[in-house]
Amino acid sequence: MELQMKVAQAVHVLNHDTESCNRVAANQWLVQFQQTDAAWEVATSILTSDFHHSFVSDYEVEFFAAQILKRKIQNEGCYLQSGAKDALLNALLVAAKRFSSGPHQLLTQICLALSALILRAAEHGKPVEQLFYSLQNLQTQVDGNVAVLEMLTVLPEEVLDNQNTDCKISSADRNQYGQELLSHTPMVLEFLLQQSEKGFDGGVQLHERNRKILRCLLSWVRAGCFSEIPHGLLPAHPLLNFVFNSLQVSSSFDLAIEVLVELVSRHEGLPHILLCRVHFLKEVLLMPALSNSDEKVVGGLACLLSEIGQAAPSLIVEASAEAVALADALLSCVTFPSEDWEIADSTLQFWSGFASYILGLDEDGAKQRKQVEDMFFPVFSALLDALLLRAQVDDSMFNDEQGTPELPDGLVHFRMNLVELLVDICQLLRSATFVQKLFFVGWASANAPIPWKEVETKLFALNVAEVVLQEGQTFDFSVIMQLVTVLSTRPLDELKGIMCIVYRSLADVVGSYSKWISAFQTNARPLLLFLAAGISEPLSSSSCASALRKVCDDSSAFMCEASNLEILMWIGEGLEKRQLPMEDEEEVVSAVSLILGSITNKELKSNLLARLLSSSFEAIGKLVDEDNNHCLRQNPATYTQILNSGARGLYRYATRLLVYSCMCMHVI
């Protein structure tokens, strides 16, 4: 009893003392105590006998005792003598019955300790058999069913967990226990069925009973138990109906979804069964949830419907009424305005898998593939619209006072996951239709404001589909040039919030399609003005620098005109002030030097090169000026700035000469 009091006091200090040094000392004492032989008896006594103390919570001490036993059994259980193991087994069964009415976390710890002990009782030839015999005895006692449910919930994971590094069970024994466990599947399913049809004697509320049954069922589904049920019996199996009924109860909805998702992924016959119930899922559950903006229900159903479709794309391709209803339901989920994009994101794996399945149909059955593509053309057309709507930037995401606005992490993640799907949609709809849905007349009309959120999202999609569109026909990019003109003529102080994102996305498109966009001489000057302004802005500088290099690569002849050369010189000479990242500066230097190298007039070429190098000379000169060197060293901040500027100037000087020399020798 004295040692129990010390444990209780140490637990109280660890959880409640305001002095950190006292908490550290209590923790050290408890760690040492756990390693002693006395810990077995003390922890067992705390869990099986009434122990009260005025200053400490009984639950805290009891939970700690259960954790001690679990850890000691996992680490030392195999060394216990037979008599000690039997006594400990009986004590844990008593504790499980005692705490069957809660707290739930404490009962879970006791059941984990109990299952760990059974699996380490090496002298018993069939430990799982012994445990089920003990559970039958426990089941006959008052409140025993609750403890049995919890025990059955934790047992499969304990048996099948190959990642448990603390365990002293060999792989061969674990495989044997797994087979022994699955042999009791009929008994477990019968027990769960009985519990689903009646209340508990202890008066546990209906919703709590259902959650316990679903948790237990989920554990056994993960262990593969439903694979034992013949395919023909599954549709009308009472437990499957119980899970479906649980979907209509708010408190059990999340667990019911988990069970069904696990079943779909593990039982090949279930997707067909659940597809037959899609109308129920859509009309009875999803549509009301969409109307009420119930994010929990919409998110759960989106996950389940995606899993059903992903598990059996061949069923969806048949375009039955149920398959069409599933696709329509998932389209509704895509556009649901959840704040973190998680619901729309959860559907992408289905859409990507389904699109890939259609595109991968055997080419020998080209006629069948064409029929499937035609049937689902409206679906993927609507999907593209839904994705473009959901991927839009919202004005509320940005504060106009933000210096460098950025997309929220959730939207960035969602767009990254969209990339592959948008490429597949482009292939299914064909490039002409895809671009037609992205371009429309009126973006740059003076009679109507430009819908910048929509424009930015469609620019993103256009850039993503570059791989497919580059292989197709040539498109009219006049709309892009209209946007280039609009943005390049706007005052820089108006480029705030979403406009910064639009500028960057447009620069990405210019870079991706520079071969087509820069093919016309009249586009050269507007492009240069647009890119020159964007290079000065932190958010768009990288995209504009990369696009400048590509434009100069693709239209070097047009760039040699006097007005275009002046813009390029202005960009090159301004690098000292802009302080771009080195990789962006390299793109700009390479672009400008490439054009200078292509000038046929040697005198003009030399003059422009001298102008371009002058800023580099100036930066290097400040660094090597001995008269200023001593003064600069007295001011570390200024000296560091001059040092960095000189290093950049030297780098630009070397890069320009290298590119220029290569151009003169026709190496590039």
Side-chain angles (χ1 to χ4, degrees):
M1 179 62 71
E2 180 180 354
L3 199 49
Q4 287 182 223
M5 288 291 297
K6 288 184 177 180
V7 171
Q9 291 171 351
V11 170
H12 175 74
V13 171
L14 180 63
N15 293 332
H16 301 287
D17 201 293
T18 57
E19 297 291 335
S20 59
C21 58
N22 293 340
R23 295 196 300 271
V24 170
N27 182 65
Q28 291 176 343
W29 187 88
L30 288 171
V31 169
Q32 293 173 357
F33 168 74
Q34 291 179 64
Q35 299 171 359
T36 65
D37 290 337
W40 290 104
E41 182 179 352
V42 171
T44 303
S45 177
I46 290 173
L47 290 176
T48 56
S49 61
D50 292 331
F51 174 74
H52 301 285
H53 199 284
S54 59
F55 65 81
V56 66
S57 162
D58 290 342
Y59 167 72
E60 291 179 351
V61 180
E62 290 157 353
F63 189 81
F64 177 74
Q67 286 185 313
I68 287 180
L69 287 180
K70 183 187 70 173
R71 291 177 188 139
K72 289 188 75 68
I73 290 170
Q74 288 175 338
N75 295 325
E76 308 169 30
C78 57
Y79 306 121
L80 290 173
Q81 297 298 316
S82 176
K85 284 183 178 178
D86 290 339
L88 184 56
L89 173 63
N90 291 330
L92 287 172
L93 288 171
V94 170
K97 176 184 177 301
R98 181 186 178 199
F99 296 105
S100 60
S101 59
H104 171 72
Q105 294 86 347
L106 177 55
L107 179 60
T108 299
Q109 288 296 316
I110 293 171
C111 289
L112 285 170
L114 186 56
S115 60
L117 177 64
I118 287 292
L119 297 180
R120 288 157 182 78
E123 62 274 16
H124 297 289
K126 293 185 176 181
V128 177
E129 187 77 41
Q130 181 197 9
L131 177 59
F132 271 88
Y133 176 77
S134 300
L135 291 181
Q136 286 178 340
N137 292 334
L138 183 61
Q139 188 179 351
T140 61
Q141 303 177 30
V142 177
D143 287 346
N145 285 333
V146 180
V148 173
L149 265 177
E150 189 63 33
M151 189 66 227
L152 291 176
T153 300
V154 303
L155 182 62
E157 183 176 349
E158 185 70 21
V159 170
L160 301 174
D161 184 11
N162 292 315
Q163 306 302 318
N164 192 338
T165 56
D166 293 332
C167 111
K168 305 293 190 297
I169 305 173
S170 68
S171 297
D173 286 343
R174 191 174 289 280
N175 289 335
Q176 174 197 329
Y177 301 159
Q179 293 301 315
E180 197 177 335
L181 183 75
L182 291 179
S183 69
H184 288 83
T185 294
M187 182 189 305
V188 172
L189 294 181
E190 181 62 29
F191 171 73
L192 292 177
L193 183 57
Q194 292 173 1
Q195 300 309 305
S196 69
E197 294 174 344
K198 66 183 182 69
F200 295 126
D201 296 335
V204 178
Q205 294 180 359
L206 177 64
H207 69 91
E208 272 302 318
R209 182 203 69 188
N210 285 352
R211 286 187 65 82
K212 290 178 183 294
I213 296 171
L214 288 169
R215 273 197 297 265
C216 186
L217 183 58
L218 178 61
S219 182
W220 280 78
V221 167
R222 286 172 175 165
C225 75
F226 255 78
S227 60
E228 304 293 321
I229 300 175
H231 175 69
L233 299 180
L234 251 182
H237 197 283
L239 278 177
L240 188 60
N241 290 330
F242 168 74
V243 176
F244 258 90
N245 291 334
S246 298
L247 287 173
Q248 301 177 70
V249 181
S250 176
S251 61
S252 59
F253 174 83
D254 56 337
L255 280 171
I257 287 291
E258 281 194 73
V259 172
L260 290 173
V261 167
E262 285 289 340
L263 282 171
V264 170
S265 64
R266 295 173 181 273
H267 201 295
E268 63 179 11
L270 204 64
H272 177 74
I273 295 170
L274 294 182
L275 190 61
C276 294
R277 301 196 183 191
V278 160
H279 287 295
F280 163 81
L281 295 173
K282 178 185 175 185
E283 301 299 331
V284 177
L285 299 177
L286 179 60
M287 299 311 293
L290 290 170
S291 299
N292 299 326
S293 298
D294 190 334
E295 189 164 338
K296 173 186 173 182
V297 173
V298 175
L301 291 173
C303 183
L304 175 59
L305 292 171
S306 296
E307 195 72 32
I308 294 170
Q310 188 180 340
S314 58
L315 293 177
I316 311 301
V317 161
E318 294 175 2
S320 64
E322 291 78 13
V324 173
L326 182 141
D328 183 66
L330 284 174
L331 281 173
S332 300
C333 294
V334 170
T335 56
F336 185 79
S338 59
E339 291 185 3
D340 55 4
W341 292 272
E342 186 175 351
I343 293 177
D345 195 61
S346 69
T347 70
L348 298 185
Q349 199 165 2
F350 159 71
W351 292 116
S352 293
F354 185 43
S356 298
Y357 183 86
I358 295 175
L359 292 170
L361 288 174
D362 195 331
E363 292 192 5
D364 293 337
K367 184 177 180 180
Q368 179 198 5
R369 171 174 165 177
K370 181 66 168 58
Q371 290 175 339
V372 171
E373 289 181 355
D374 290 344
M375 281 190 297
F376 285 97
F377 183 94
V379 172
F380 282 100
S381 179
L383 176 62
L384 178 58
D385 293 335
L387 292 174
L388 293 176
L389 178 64
R390 195 67 192 92
Q392 277 188 16
V393 175
D394 195 308
D395 291 325
S396 62
M397 296 176 184
F398 305 117
N399 181 348
D400 284 345
E401 302 303 320
Q402 274 183 284
T404 307
E406 264 297 359
L407 298 180
D409 291 342
L411 180 55
V412 171
H413 180 77
F414 178 59
R415 285 190 172 190
M416 287 176 59
N417 292 339
L418 271 184
V419 171
E420 182 180 348
L421 176 56
L422 287 175
V423 171
D424 288 342
I425 292 175
C426 184
Q427 289 181 283
L428 287 170
L429 298 183
R430 302 290 187 267
S431 55
T433 302
F434 187 86
V435 172
Q436 186 179 12
K437 291 180 74 68
L438 299 184
F439 288 173
F440 64 89
V441 178
W443 273 6
S445 171
N447 299 322
I450 300 177
W452 290 115
K453 292 188 296 183
E454 185 178 343
V455 167
E456 192 280 330
T457 309
K458 291 187 174 182
L459 289 172
F460 158 74
L462 183 63
N463 193 54
V464 165
E466 172 198 357
V467 177
V468 179
L469 298 179
Q470 296 273 23
E471 299 172 355
Q473 65 192 75
T474 302
F475 300 102
D476 179 8
F477 285 95
S478 59
V479 174
I480 298 299
M481 288 308 302
Q482 289 176 341
L483 292 173
V484 164
T485 302
V486 169
L487 289 180
S488 61
T489 55
R490 281 199 169 210
L492 291 178
D493 59 1
E494 291 187 12
L495 297 180
K496 297 179 181 179
I498 190 173
M499 297 305 300
C500 294
I501 306 295
V502 174
Y503 211 107
R504 180 178 62 183
S505 298
L506 182 56
D508 287 334
V509 169
V510 168
S512 296
Y513 298 94
S514 65
K515 184 183 298 184
W516 286 269
I517 297 175
S518 60
F520 301 94
Q521 185 173 0
T522 54
N523 290 344
R525 180 176 173 80
L527 285 175
L528 286 178
L529 291 173
F530 168 76
L531 297 174
I535 287 171
S536 302
E537 296 299 312
L539 189 64
S540 58
S541 62
S542 181
S543 295
C544 287
S546 175
L548 179 66
R549 171 59 187 267
K550 293 175 182 177
V551 167
C552 288
D553 277 340
D554 294 326
S555 60
S556 58
F558 300 153
M559 295 301 170
C560 292
E561 293 185 359
S563 60
N564 294 337
L565 285 174
E566 279 303 315
I567 299 174
L568 284 171
M569 293 302 298
W570 178 79
I571 295 174
E573 291 174 326
L575 288 177
E576 178 65 26
K577 297 179 181 178
R578 290 189 179 94
Q579 294 292 301
L580 300 178
M582 291 301 294
E583 58 270 20
D584 296 342
E585 189 167 298
E586 182 178 358
E587 293 275 42
V588 174
V589 169
S590 298
V592 177
S593 301
L594 185 150
I595 298 303
L596 292 186
S598 65
I599 297 174
T600 55
N601 186 317
K602 293 184 178 180
E603 182 179 356
L604 176 61
K605 181 188 298 186
S606 298
N607 291 337
L608 293 178
L609 181 61
R611 279 180 57 186
L612 197 59
L613 295 176
S614 62
S615 61
S616 300
F617 290 148
E618 183 178 348
I620 298 170
K622 290 180 181 179
L623 182 64
V624 300
D625 188 346
E626 293 185 3
D627 294 336
N628 294 330
N629 192 270
H630 177 72
C631 296
L632 289 174
R633 289 180 181 275
Q634 302 302 313
N635 189 334
T638 303
Y639 181 75
T640 300
Q641 182 180 356
I642 295 296
L643 182 62
N644 290 336
S645 179
R648 282 173 172 269
L650 187 60
Y651 174 80
R652 288 196 298 271
Y653 177 77
T655 302
R656 285 163 176 162
L657 284 181
L658 177 62
V659 175
Y660 176 78
S661 300
C662 290
M663 283 297 301
C664 291
M665 293 186 295
H666 305 288
V667 174
I668 61 174

